Each structure stands twice: as C-alpha cells, then as structure tokens.
Amino acid sequence: MTRMIERWFPCQEVSEASSMGWGTGNVEASLFPWFAKRPLAQAKAAVVCSLLPWPDDPTEQAELQALVRRSLVGTGSGKATYDEAHGELVEALAKAHPDGARLLDPFSGRGMIPVEAARLGVQTWGLDNSPVATLGGTLLIDYPMRDWSGEPDLPFTGYTRSHLGIRLLDDVSFLIELTAQRHEDAMDAVYPTVEGRRPWGYLWAITLPCQECGRRFPLVGSLALRHPIERTGDLGQSFEVLVDRDRSEFTIRVHDGPPRGAATLATPPGQSKHSSRGKLATCPFCEHPHPKSLCERLAREGLGTDVLLVVGEGGGDDGKHFRAPTTQELQAAHLATAALAEEPEFAPGLSARPSELIPEGNTWTVQPSVFGARNYGDLCNDRQTLNFVRLCRIVNEIGRELLAGGVSPDYSAALTGYLASGVARKIRRATRGAALQVSIDTRGPRHRIGVHDIFGSSESSISFSWDYFEAGLGEGPGTWRSVAGDTVTVLRRQVNRAPGRPARAERGSAVTLPFRDDYLTAVVTDPPYDSMIDYADASDLFYVWIKRALVTTHPDLALIAGPDNLQDKSEEIIVKKGGAGVNDHRTQSFYDTMLTRAFREAARAVVDDGVVTIVFGHGDPDVWHRLLSAIREAGLVLTGSWPAQTERGGTTGSANIVTTLTLCCRPAPLGREPGRLSDVDAEVKAEIESRRPLWESAGLALTDQLMASVGPAMEVVGRYSEVRDKTGEPVDLDRYLPLARRLVEEAADIQIDSLPLGTFDARTRFALFWAKVNGRAVAAGSEARWQRLAADLEDDDTTGLLTKVKKGVRFAFASESGAESEVGGSSSTIDVALAVARAGKSVASVAGVLASTERTEDSFVWAAMKELSRFVPEADPDGDVWTWVVRNQSAISGASRNVQAAVVREEHEREDAGVQRSIFEGDL
Ligand SMILES: C[S@@+](CC[C@H](N)C(=O)[O-])C[C@H]1O[C@@H](n2cnc3c(N)ncnc32)[C@H](O)[C@@H]1O
C-alpha cells in the first residue's frame, strides 16, 4: 500500500499550525522539562500521513487530503483545536488498517509524536534512552488516557473523591496542595514569615576574597530589582552595596529608583559584552579589578561563599517589592546547613544531598563545573538543597502512603510522577544558574519580574550566575505552588482531549527494538541531531532529584543507572560537545554507526509495506550527508521528503526560519539495478523541477527550497543499488546534495536585471545569489558552505564576499572586502561593483573605477549594481551608492569614457614621445 506521505504532505498547513495555538505543542512541552521539542502539528501530520493510504482514485485522494488539512488548520472559520476532525480520522485509519495500526517512535523524548498517534487510537510505543525522558513521556502519552475510576479513595485526611470532575486531574491537584502544606511545615524554620507574610524569594550572590585587600565582596551583575515606569509613577527599586572599610564589612541597602552606582561585576568600558574575556569583578572596598579567569579559579579553589542580599515579596508581578533581609531571616538562612547535614539517606546508598559526580568533559553542558561544582549537590546553596531534599522526601512519603492505602502501584506511580514533574520544573528555576529576571512588558506597561530558566537561551546548557534567585514558600514564580500549579493546567488540557488509547513509554535503545520482524505499521521519529544537544548530560540534574523523589513508586529509575549512578549513556546516540578531550565514546563515528543501526532496526521491525518516517532539521551539509548515508546503509530508501517551517532559528546560529524535513523511507526493494550517472542526474533534475510548483504553493522561500531539494535528489538515487559513472565506478552520495541545490537555483531562473544569473562569472553568481536570498541578514555559516558546494567553489574563491559575525555570516560591506580592493581589467563583476561602492557618491571616483577596469559599458556590472541596491535594505551604505550610481548612469558613463579617452590619449602621447626619443637616440 502506498502511504499518503509518499505522495503528499500538508507542508503549508504544518508550517501554519506549528507557529501558533495547539500545533506548537508549547503546552505539552511545559508538562516536563525536555529538549528539542517537535511541534504537535508536525507530529500529527507525520503520524497521519505515514498511516493513511494514498488511494488510486483522484477523488478519494482529494477527500483524504482535505481531511488531513482540516485536522490541522480547521475549516477556515475559527482556528483548529486539538483533535480537530478526530472522528473522521479515526474512521479513515480503521478503514486503512482493519486490524489496527501499530506505531513506534524509537527516539520519543517527551512523547510529542506518540501522543498524537495515541490520541487517534493507534497502538503506540515511545522508546527513549533516557529514563528522565521516558518518565516525561509517560506523563503525556500514557497516564492521561487511562481510566483510573476503579482506584480506591486516596488515604489522606481531607480527601474527597472526585465524582463530577476527572479523577486523575482532581487527585493530582489534591496532592500538589498536600505537598505544598507538608513542605511549608517542613521548611518553616528556614524560610520564616515576616510580619505574618511569606516572602516570595531571595536574591543571593557569591562572595570572593579580594586579591588586593583580602576583604570579601559579592559579585553582582545588576543592581536593578524593579525598573521604573514613568507612566504609572512607579520609581522602581534597586539596591546598593555599601562598604565599611574600617570594619571590612559590606551591607546592602534597597532604595527606590534606578541603580545609584555600578554593579561589582561589569563589562569593562570599550569591551563588547559578548567578548569571551567576560566581565570584570571590582572590589567595592579597594577598586581592585578581578578578571573572569581569576574569579573562576578562586571559585574552583572553593573560596566562594553564598550570601543573602535581598528579599522579594508580593504575589502578582505588579505587586513585587524588595527589601533588605531581617536579622532573623539572615540567621534562618544559615540554619539550613546544619539541618541538611542531619538529613538521612533516601535509601541505602542514596544520600540526601546528591553526591553523584558531574562527569568530566561537561564544562559546556553543566557550566557550574567551571566554577568548582564537582557533584550535582554542588549546584545549589545549602538552603536550596534542603528545600529539594525535603520536597523529594515528601513526594516519596506520599508514594509510600498511597501504596500502603491500597492504591495500585500504577496509579501511585502516576500521581507521584506528576509531583516529580513539579520537582523537575522547580529545579529548572533554581540552583545558582537561575538569575532574577527584571524587565518591563511595554504593552502594559507592566513589570515582568520572575526567575530565569537555568538553560537560558542555549536550550540545553545549565548556566551559572554569580548572583541568583532562590524561590521561597510564598507566592511567585519558581515556588512549588507556581510550578506545580502549571502541571495542573497542562494536565487539564490533556484529560480533556479526545479519549485515545494509552501508549507505552519505555526506556530502551533504538538499536535493539523489543519487537519481532514485520510487526509495526510505521515508525515515525525525530532522532538526535548530531551534536546539538547532550540529552543525558543536560538532564542528569533532573535525574538525581527525581530518582530520590520516586524511589518507592518508580524504583527502576535508580536501578537502571549507569556505573556513575547517573543515566546510562553507553548507547546514547549523540556527538558529545567537548567530548573529544576526555575520550568520550560519543564521537562522530559512534553517532554514525549507531544511527545506522537504529534505522536498520526500524527497517526490520516495520511490515514489508511499512514506512519509516524521519523528521530532521540541520543546517550543516556534513550532518545531512551523514544522515542520508545512515539511511542508505540501513537498507532504507527515501520515498518522500517534505519541508515545513517549524521553528525559528537562533540557537543554531541561523537568522532564518529553520526548515525541517519530514523524510519518508521504505525498506529498500530487493534486486535494485545500478543506475547510469547521466540518467540519474536527468531524473534528479526532472524530479526537482516537478517539486518546485508544490514548494511555491506551500509558501517556501528560495532558501527553504534549497534545503528541501535534498529529499527528491535522494529519492531518485535510492531507486538504484548504486550510481555508476562512465567508467563504471560508483559515485559518492556527496555529489547529489550540491547538485540538488544547483538545480533549484537553476530552476528558479533568477534574472539579474534581465540577464540570467547563470551568465555571470562564478564569484559574482555566488555573491548575487547570496545577496538575493539573505540581503544583509545574518545566516548560518553552514549556509555559505552549502552554497559554495553547489557552486563548486573553494573557500578562497569567495574571500571578501562574506563577513563572519556573531551567530553566522553576512554579505560583506564594500568597506570590509579589503583583499579585493585592488581591481583591474580581469576583476570579477562583483569586485568592480564593490569597488564602485567604496568609491562613494563621486562621479569622478566612480568613473575612475569603471575606466580603470574597462567596464564603462559593461551591462553585467550595471545589472549587478542595480539588483544589489535592491537586495540590501534601505539606508544601506553600499546600496545608497549603487542606487545613486545607477540613477546617474549616463553622467558617470560619460565621465568614465572621458577618463578612458584621456588615458588612451596619454598612452599615445607617451608612445609618440618614445618614438621621438628613439629617433633622437638613434641619431646619436
Ligand atoms: C530529538 S530528541 C526527540 C524529541 C522528541 N521528539 C520530543 O519532541 O520530545 C531525540 C531523543 O533521542 C534520545 N536518544 C538518544 N540516543 C538514543 C538511543 N540509543 N535510543 C533511544 N533514544 C535515544 C534522546 O534521549 C532524545 O530524547
């Protein structure tokens, strides 16, 4: 049976639905912290199109297409919601698979793909190497779809059984509140109330001893606590560090208004704030500066101590207010250290404070290790640690009471699993990596005061901050009630969706699937992308806490640990960032081999006419090449590839919307014939030309079409056992990625002021194409590599055309293309155009450039300048010159001709003088 995904995919609808509402999957993603989220709309489309057939009858095809479109974006009036057209889809699937369909995602993460299959009633499995991800997946794809009505009442005072509501939701809400109360009681002494109020949280900083005067001072990067808002008359609040040099003490004063002085940690004047030299810490007692590297060394030597600076109060954002801590609060903060030392183990060998060592080679992923953290207990200050120890103990205790009260092990595991998701989300806003977030929402204007996520903008690197915020027991971001309350909100959405069929989330490895041959109807997956994310290393912080909280209800979590008591990474398919220096096994060749094995397993486990659908997005040509090699070596052939704009670039360094491809593969048919190079190339060309109208109608920009071209090219190549050149030698797959892009470029038939782009010299073609696609915007460095490959150019051939900037490269300004500043008769068109821009708005100078390069009448130079002025933004310095030059073409050409004529005259005169001289010399 041909599957729909082999012939058609709702590219445009996926792009649209992935950008807003239910289709983003943002709600599901917030249930449990995990990485590399797939938008729900893309997951749903990949699942549905991998399972639905592609009927022979065009009318039936159109009906099914309309159904799938509707299921993603609704009917046009009003936006689609979850489970749109659910009944019809279920019916269509039942018709296609009367015995039921079976679907597996072998890299399921938090379960965004399996959840969509499960909601459609498909028998579904999600497999992930990480036990943390597996727990997150279970909370999304399994528990919300089960019927828990047969469970006994929960064995707690004050519990009333839900009859009208939804059992799971009501019980989770009840237990969250019970946990809050128990936690408050357990932590009361260390987070005291002041005038009857519980503060929201506490701003801390780390102090270091000054290397000049020896006094300790706090390292604070910002003194602002609440920005002023002129319109509402809010003066804002800040604090200052006051020093008493005689007593060698500092005190903190909170005051109204903007900061009065400089923070002790600041970027030196003249240095970019992005510079790797980092901030300078200045001792407020003696002004001695401490560079970043020195501060890091002092911290690594254990010389940092935590000090409580400011207390934050108030519930809603607007009401947040800051003050200095009272004496009682300062003393209470210190009680935690002694109390922590008294905390018993969670189980034999499972210490209260996580003593699991941070593995070597994690300075990028677990950044506190740069600042002296050796184990996972070192990431928090003592009071934060005590907070988590007691919170986890309460969750564990609730699990024990549930089991003792006759609640089934599964329901106990489910209920405590949601509590553990609250613990994980609270950690995400805790540790010394969670800084205070102070900003203003200009729409109000109103305050946005909260706590930063420890992963910051890097998505998967745990940050470290010299000053950080600790959420307490009151109301506000990062507190238990706040984070766990969000769990209820997300869970409510889940339990109110279409009923579905609970899926199984299992911990395992994609390279050894627990299924017999020919069992699954489809495999749909989103594998790890090379070195983008160190999943297990980045989530071990969650792991160490969760296994403590769930030691009773999920004992397997602690049992399946690797030898270092962290998550077992022996089969984790990633390329480890910074791993090479410490002999980490997760090298590029390990990734390639394991990914191939995983795909081969998928090919083995799907039925003969089943599909393996792979969602992949990466900018680097090498990574694509390796993925496609893995697909091929696994015995799969591509039979469909569909681009969709599913996320914004940024973390990967791209300024563009990132296109991901949904690649459909089938086990390779037996007995494929070898293909002849010229025939295969012609087929690739025809295939790409036939796709262009589809891409256009799906709204794909040229840059996305270039990315999408990989699919059809590989589809064609996959029809052959190998491709042979004229001499009968097999050709490398490498050839087809640049070829595909070149064909898109050709098919786009780009005209430069009515001259075909293909008629320009290679260097100019590169520059014009780049400027057309990107203008002056920053693009990923890999884009330049792709384009050079497609144009068959070496790095040197494009020197001076692109400038490296933070997060990528951009089209160079004429003033930056230094090496090419000398132009002459043999210069390429683009270099003449750049020289013109450098000459500025002066008829004589521009005429001089054109005359000296003999390009006065060169239509290529004029066409290039005309188009370039359009490609760059308005008010662009080069664009300004090019526009002016083109507008004054006749005057400039005239002047240039005069210069050329004068040069010719001069030459003649020189020649004449030479003749005279030789006559004269001859006379001698
Ligand atoms: C791109 S993520 C999947 C994200 C998922 N689609 C989601 O939206 O949450 C890739 C996943 O592969 C998992 N992984 C890595 N090696 C694995 C292996 N050998 N077997 C199974 N899963 C593995 C990682 O733990 C990670 O969760």
Side-chain angles (χ1 to χ4, degrees):
M1 172 174 75
T2 303
R3 303 279 168 89
M4 179 178 252
I5 196 162
E6 297 178 280
R7 295 290 178 272
W8 178 83
F9 188 75
C11 302
Q12 199 179 354
E13 289 76 9
V14 167
S15 301
E16 194 183 313
S18 296
S19 67
M20 60 188 170
W22 73 276
T24 61
N26 289 343
V27 170
E28 289 63 26
S30 65
L31 181 59
F32 194 88
W34 197 245
F35 318 95
K37 169 202 75 134
R38 262 311 96 227
L40 227 42
Q42 190 180 26
K44 182 175 185 179
V47 164
V48 167
C49 295
S50 298
L51 293 175
L52 283 180
W54 184 247
D56 294 332
D57 175 10
T59 317
E60 284 179 44
Q61 289 171 7
E63 277 169 13
L64 274 187
Q65 283 173 298
L67 170 60
V68 174
R69 285 200 181 99
R70 204 160 60 242
S71 78
L72 293 167
V73 292
T75 49
S77 59
K79 293 277 166 250
T81 57
Y82 290 107
D83 307 310
E84 192 81 34
H86 182 258
E88 292 165 85
L89 275 182
V90 170
E91 211 175 289
L93 289 172
K95 192 170 157 204
H97 306 281
D99 298 331
R102 302 187 188 111
L103 185 140
L104 164 75
D105 176 356
F107 296 102
S108 58
R110 60 161 84 71
M112 303 298 268
I113 293 172
V115 73
E116 287 308 304
R119 288 289 173 190
L120 288 166
V122 174
Q123 194 177 359
T124 309
W125 293 265
L127 195 81
D128 201 281
N129 195 235
S130 157
V132 175
T134 309
L135 173 67
T138 311
L139 301 182
L140 182 67
I141 72 175
D142 184 355
Y143 299 145
M145 283 176 252
R146 289 208 213 174
D147 174 10
W148 302 106
S149 57
E151 292 291 332
D153 288 2
L154 304 193
F156 302 102
T157 321
Y159 175 78
T160 45
R161 188 185 185 125
S162 153
H163 289 293
L164 296 174
I166 294 165
R167 184 78 202 267
L168 177 68
L169 182 65
D170 291 349
D171 287 356
V172 169
S173 308
F174 173 83
L175 291 180
I176 283 174
E177 186 48 33
L178 180 68
T179 306
Q181 285 162 13
R182 290 186 178 185
H183 190 230
E184 203 166 317
D185 291 347
M187 297 301 289
D188 183 51
V190 290
Y191 295 113
T193 52
V194 173
E195 293 174 9
R197 286 199 307 270
R198 287 259 182 232
W200 158 46
Y202 309 84
L203 179 68
W204 292 74
I206 295 170
T207 68
L208 289 177
C210 171
Q211 295 305 284
E212 178 66 22
C213 69
R215 294 150 168 139
R216 278 196 168 271
F217 68 98
L219 280 75
V220 286
S222 169
L223 301 173
L225 297 167
R226 211 180 68 229
H227 292 307
I229 302 182
E230 209 177 314
R231 209 189 308 166
T232 60
D234 182 343
L235 299 173
Q237 278 191 298
S238 307
F239 69 98
E240 53 190 331
V241 181
L242 303 171
V243 295
D244 181 337
R245 292 190 176 82
D246 297 336
R247 299 173 68 178
S248 296
E249 282 175 6
F250 67 84
T251 47
I252 298 298
R253 185 159 66 201
V254 176
H255 61 85
D256 286 347
R260 290 182 182 151
T264 54
L265 200 60
T267 308
Q271 181 185 304
S272 154
K273 66 179 183 166
H274 302 299
S275 161
S276 59
R277 274 180 284 159
K279 292 182 175 174
L280 211 57
T282 305
C283 168
F285 292 97
C286 71
E287 307 290 316
H288 184 73
H290 300 71
K292 179 180 160 216
S293 54
L294 172 61
C295 297
E296 284 173 10
R297 178 170 65 71
L298 296 176
R300 273 200 299 276
E301 287 170 7
L303 294 173
T305 56
D306 300 287
V307 61
L308 174 56
L309 301 180
V310 174
V311 179
E313 288 187 330
D317 279 352
D318 287 340
K320 289 210 175 60
H321 190 83
F322 295 87
R323 60 170 171 79
T326 63
T327 313
Q328 187 203 4
E329 282 176 315
L330 289 170
Q331 285 165 352
H334 290 291
L335 291 178
T337 304
L340 183 58
E342 300 290 306
E343 285 288 327
E345 290 183 327
F346 278 86
L350 203 54
S351 59
R353 185 176 182 275
S355 55
E356 292 86 342
L357 293 173
I358 301 165
E360 253 189 279
N362 269 306
T363 48
W364 193 91
T365 308
V366 189
Q367 287 176 9
S369 60
V370 177
F371 302 86
R374 291 191 177 80
N375 62 43
Y376 281 95
D378 290 343
L379 267 55
C380 291
N381 71 28
D382 284 350
R383 188 165 71 174
Q384 286 177 307
T385 306
L386 184 71
N387 186 327
F388 281 106
V389 168
R390 295 211 171 141
L391 189 57
C392 290
R393 213 180 286 291
I394 289 162
V395 173
N396 189 35
E397 201 46 48
I398 286 177
R400 216 174 274 155
E401 291 170 46
L402 286 167
L403 289 169
V407 175
S408 74
D410 272 11
Y411 197 40
S412 305
L415 294 173
T416 50
Y418 289 105
L419 297 181
S421 96
V423 173
R425 295 172 65 189
K426 187 164 163 54
I427 291 172
R428 208 173 166 151
R429 306 264 168 204
T431 82
R432 293 193 192 89
L436 179 67
Q437 185 180 23
V438 183
S439 61
I440 290 177
D441 181 345
T442 47
R443 282 167 304 175
R446 56 174 181 257
H447 291 289
R448 288 176 63 130
I449 300 175
V451 192
H452 277 292
D453 185 331
I454 55 173
F455 289 113
S457 57
S458 65
E459 198 188 352
S460 62
S461 166
I462 299 172
S463 49
F464 170 88
S465 177
W466 294 101
D467 49 358
Y468 60 94
F469 197 77
E470 177 203 19
L473 300 178
E475 265 182 63
T479 59
W480 169 256
R481 280 201 176 87
S482 161
V483 292
D486 291 346
T487 305
V488 175
T489 311
V490 183
L491 190 56
R492 178 170 295 116
R493 292 259 191 129
Q494 298 312 309
V495 293
N496 283 319
R497 286 193 64 177
R501 169 182 185 153
R504 278 194 72 81
E506 284 185 22
R507 199 248 155 192
S509 177
V511 300
T512 39
L513 298 181
F515 299 99
R516 63 172 162 76
D517 295 1
D518 301 330
Y519 183 71
L520 301 163
T521 321
V523 169
V524 181
T525 197
D526 167 33
Y529 302 171
D530 197 65
S531 62
M532 260 192 196
I533 291 170
D534 295 350
Y535 295 94
D537 286 303
S539 60
D540 271 337
L541 174 61
F542 300 131
Y543 178 66
V544 296
W545 285 112
I546 286 171
K547 73 173 171 179
R548 284 167 167 77
L550 301 179
V551 67
T552 302
T553 50
H554 293 253
D556 49 319
L557 269 175
L559 295 176
I560 54 169
D564 51 6
N565 290 322
L566 296 170
Q567 294 175 93
D568 186 349
K569 301 164 184 89
S570 54
E571 297 208 351
E572 192 189 22
I573 306 179
I574 59 158
V575 181
K576 172 77 181 144
K577 282 193 194 77
V582 288
N583 287 331
D584 197 290
H585 66 283
R586 291 163 293 176
T587 60
Q588 185 172 306
S589 81
F590 175 83
Y591 172 88
D592 292 348
T593 313
M594 294 289 276
L595 197 62
T596 306
R597 278 180 58 191
F599 291 161
R600 196 173 295 136
E601 267 294 89
R604 177 190 65 74
V606 286
V607 291
D608 276 347
D609 72 342
V611 290
V612 177
T613 296
I614 299 163
V615 182
F616 203 78
H618 204 290
D620 189 337
D622 285 344
V623 177
W624 270 104
H625 175 239
R626 287 169 29 227
L627 173 89
L628 296 168
S629 302
I631 289 177
R632 198 175 165 86
E633 278 165 36
L636 290 167
V637 285
L638 261 178
T639 54
S641 64
W642 310 99
Q645 296 170 340
T646 50
E647 50 229 90
R648 287 219 155 259
T651 51
T652 54
S654 165
N656 303 324
I657 285 186
V658 175
T659 299
T660 44
L661 291 193
T662 306
L663 305 166
C664 172
C665 310
R666 267 183 186 273
L670 296 173
R672 283 178 299 169
E673 297 286 320
R676 277 185 16 206
L677 184 69
S678 52
D679 297 342
V680 176
D681 284 9
E683 263 185 78
V684 170
K685 187 165 190 287
E687 196 67 52
I688 285 181
E689 278 169 4
S690 76
R691 295 294 170 95
R692 284 238 330 137
L694 182 94
W695 293 337
E696 291 284 331
S697 69
L700 284 193
L702 188 54
T703 154
D704 299 319
Q705 296 186 17
L706 293 168
M707 181 57 74
S709 66
V710 134
M714 295 317 296
E715 262 175 72
V716 171
V717 173
R719 291 175 198 150
Y720 302 93
S721 59
E722 61 181 9
V723 181
R724 293 184 187 158
D725 66 14
K726 271 197 298 227
T727 63
E729 283 298 305
V731 288
D732 200 289
L733 218 74
D734 271 6
R735 163 190 169 71
Y736 284 97
L737 304 189
L739 174 69
R741 290 173 77 94
R742 191 155 62 241
L743 291 168
V744 171
E745 205 179 304
E746 280 170 24
D749 190 23
I750 297 168
Q751 302 285 317
I752 301 297
D753 194 31
S754 76
L755 296 174
L757 178 64
T759 56
F760 284 73
D761 65 273
R763 183 173 155 85
T764 305
R765 268 201 319 267
F766 178 92
L768 291 174
F769 190 73
W770 182 278
K772 178 175 169 62
V773 171
N774 303 297
R776 287 267 191 230
V778 178
S782 55
E783 259 314 300
R785 287 194 51 215
W786 275 113
Q787 207 187 304
R788 268 193 290 266
L789 279 174
D792 216 0
L793 291 172
E794 299 296 328
D795 288 7
D796 285 354
D797 298 329
T798 58
T799 307
L801 295 180
L802 301 179
T803 301
K804 264 197 189 158
V805 289
K806 192 166 178 273
K807 291 198 167 186
V809 289
R810 64 154 166 70
F811 185 43
F813 286 103
S815 56
E816 293 167 336
S817 53
E820 314 311 313
S821 42
E822 286 299 312
V823 284
S826 59
S827 291
S828 79
T829 300
I830 184 64
D831 292 322
V832 177
L834 289 168
V836 166
R838 273 193 300 275
K841 285 168 40 175
S842 147
V843 174
S845 308
V846 174
V849 171
L850 294 177
S852 67
T853 53
E854 296 170 22
R855 304 294 175 88
T856 311
E857 314 291 349
D858 188 334
S859 51
F860 287 92
V861 170
W862 287 103
M865 292 194 292
K866 194 166 172 186
E867 290 295 320
L868 281 168
S869 66
R870 288 198 202 128
F871 295 157
V872 294
E874 246 177 68
D876 182 274
D878 296 342
D880 189 33
V881 179
W882 287 321
T883 310
W884 176 84
V885 169
V886 172
R887 237 182 250 142
N888 295 289
Q889 181 171 0
S890 66
I892 291 170
S893 298
S896 180
R897 276 194 295 275
N898 288 343
V899 175
Q900 268 179 296
V903 171
V904 171
R905 248 196 329 274
E906 255 177 50
E907 271 169 13
H908 285 165
E909 279 168 16
R910 258 201 313 276
E911 277 169 21
D912 288 348
V915 171
Q916 295 280 334
R917 206 167 41 247
S918 58
I919 294 171
F920 181 67
E921 282 162 1
D923 283 349
L924 273 177

